[in-house]
Amino acid sequence: MVEIYSLEQMKMIRNQKRIERQKESAESGISTAVVCGQIVTIGDYDCDYHSWKHFIVAQIARLGFLRYVNLTGWDINELVEDLAGSDDPNDDIWLDDAAKYFDAVEANY
């Protein structure tokens, strides 16, 4: 028997599968986020990005500075200062943006 799904149903199924894969990764100690519909990994070893800050910098490069600021609501001067700072690259400010705008899931350590 063949089942036919609407476009909305297919999107919902695909989203649920992505969420399940991200949860499985988190349980395995791997942090993830979504970029252009693809799951990417964030972490120290064999991952797409080394830290949450590295991930956010890459998204700024991909989107463009002004588009990123418009998306997130950051004050442009504050963002520049925080990017230039030598704070922890896994600080919550970077994780918060990743979670809010890129469906990030932090690993369960």
Side-chain angles (χ1 to χ4, degrees), residues 64-82:
F65 212 83
L66 291 177
R67 199 161 150 215
Y68 185 84
V69 167
N70 288 333
L71 171 70
T72 61
W74 271 88
D75 172 75
I76 197 163
N77 294 321
E78 182 182 351
L79 179 58
V80 169
E81 289 297 320
D82 285 344

Side-chain angles (χ1 to χ4, degrees), residues 35-107:
V35 177
C36 299
Q38 300 295 316
I39 294 175
V40 296
T41 55
I42 295 92
D44 296 333
Y45 177 74
D46 198 26
C47 291
D48 299 311
Y49 301 95
H50 302 292
S51 65
W52 291 115
K53 186 175 183 178
H54 179 217
F55 172 77
I56 294 299
V57 168
Q59 300 323 300
I60 292 169
R62 183 177 66 80
L63 294 170
F65 212 83
L66 291 177
R67 199 161 150 215
Y68 185 84
V69 167
N70 288 333
L71 171 70
T72 61
W74 271 88
D75 172 75
I76 197 163
N77 294 321
E78 182 182 351
L79 179 58
V80 169
E81 289 297 320
D82 285 344
L83 287 170
S86 60
D87 60 335
D88 177 9
N90 284 309
D91 197 316
D92 284 346
I93 62 171
W94 310 118
L95 173 57
D96 291 346
D97 270 10
K100 254 188 230 176
Y101 305 104
F102 302 100
D103 298 324
V105 177
E106 188 171 27

Side-chain angles (χ1 to χ4, degrees), residues 10-21:
M10 289 301 297
K11 286 180 182 179
M12 186 177 71
I13 291 168
R14 193 175 6 213
N15 191 42
Q16 289 293 6
K17 286 182 180 182
R18 178 191 52 80
I19 290 169
E20 288 173 20
R21 284 194 309 268

